[in-house]
């Protein structure tokens, strides 16, 4: 039987999803806070961040939506925040779509159902938009 050696450190699993993609919720005794205290703390932190000008918390959904916004910018749908002019760059739009596709491929099996659906739907919409935009160029 193998003996375990004490290495002087402990490992705590901080993943938010188990091996089946189900959310893991910490028991109140582990965090030291009740659900009500956690809710108040998160709300207070969010209010503090919005007042101080800090950006919202980054999670997978906000990251994917940020990339899709970048693609819409390159399609000319969203104006440049500095110049307020719309610029169309299909090469950059395709690159952003390809990044999202790579992200989907590399995270396969590791996303929550909602995250997988969000990424799949965004990719479908952006790819269809890219096809329409390239068709416009061929007709012109």
């Amino acid at each position: 039987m193998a003996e375990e050696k004490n290495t002087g450190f402990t490992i705590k699993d901080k993943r938010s999803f188990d091996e089946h993609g189900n959310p893991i919720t910490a028991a109140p005794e582990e965090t030291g806070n009740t659900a009500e205290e956690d809710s108040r703390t998160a709300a207070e932190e969010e209010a503090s961040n919005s007042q101080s000008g800090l950006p919202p918390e980054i999670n997978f959904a906000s990251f994917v939506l940020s990339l899709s916004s970048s693609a819409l910018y390159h399609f000319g749908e969203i104006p440049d925040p500095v110049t307020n002019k719309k610029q169309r760059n299909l090469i950059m739009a395709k690159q952003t779509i390809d990044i999202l596709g790579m992200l989907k491929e590399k995270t396969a099996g590791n996303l929550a159902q909602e995250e997988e659906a969000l990424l799949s739907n965004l990719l479908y919409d952006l790819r269809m938009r890219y096809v329409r935009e390239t068709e416009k160029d061929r007709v012109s």
Side-chain angles (χ1 to χ4, degrees):
M1 181 175 230
E3 291 183 25
E4 291 185 35
K5 293 184 180 181
N6 187 354
T7 58
F9 61 90
T10 56
I11 299 172
K12 292 186 180 182
D13 189 353
K14 294 186 177 183
R15 292 178 284 191
S16 58
F17 295 96
D18 66 14
E19 63 273 3
H20 303 291
N22 300 320
I24 298 173
T25 56
E29 62 272 8
E30 292 178 18
T31 61
N33 294 340
T34 65
E36 184 178 319
E37 289 171 336
D38 286 342
S39 174
R40 252 195 335 259
T41 305
E44 289 169 359
E45 185 177 332
E46 186 176 324
S48 173
N49 286 350
S50 66
Q51 290 173 355
S52 66
L54 293 174
E57 177 187 348
I58 299 296
N59 56 31
F60 187 79
S62 64
F63 174 62
V64 168
L65 289 171
S66 173
L67 286 173
S68 68
S69 295
S70 176
L72 292 175
Y73 167 78
H74 293 303
F75 280 128
E77 296 289 321
I78 300 173
D80 185 301
V82 176
T83 63
N84 206 28
K85 293 182 180 178
K86 294 181 178 182
Q87 299 174 350
R88 189 167 172 259
N89 186 339
L90 290 182
I91 294 170
M92 291 303 295
K94 183 181 182 321
Q95 184 179 35
T96 305
I97 295 167
D98 290 345
I99 290 169
L100 284 165
M102 178 184 64
L103 187 62
K104 182 178 181 192
E105 179 184 314
K106 297 291 184 179
T107 58
N110 292 317
L111 298 176
Q113 186 176 2
E114 297 84 16
E115 294 170 333
E116 176 67 32
L118 173 67
L119 186 54
S120 294
N121 291 334
L122 282 173
L123 265 172
Y124 177 80
D125 290 342
L126 291 171
R127 286 173 173 159
M128 291 299 108
R129 183 181 299 259
Y130 180 78
V131 169
R132 284 191 305 269
E133 292 295 322
T134 54
E135 288 297 318
K136 284 182 191 175
D137 286 352
R138 289 183 193 163
V139 173
S140 299

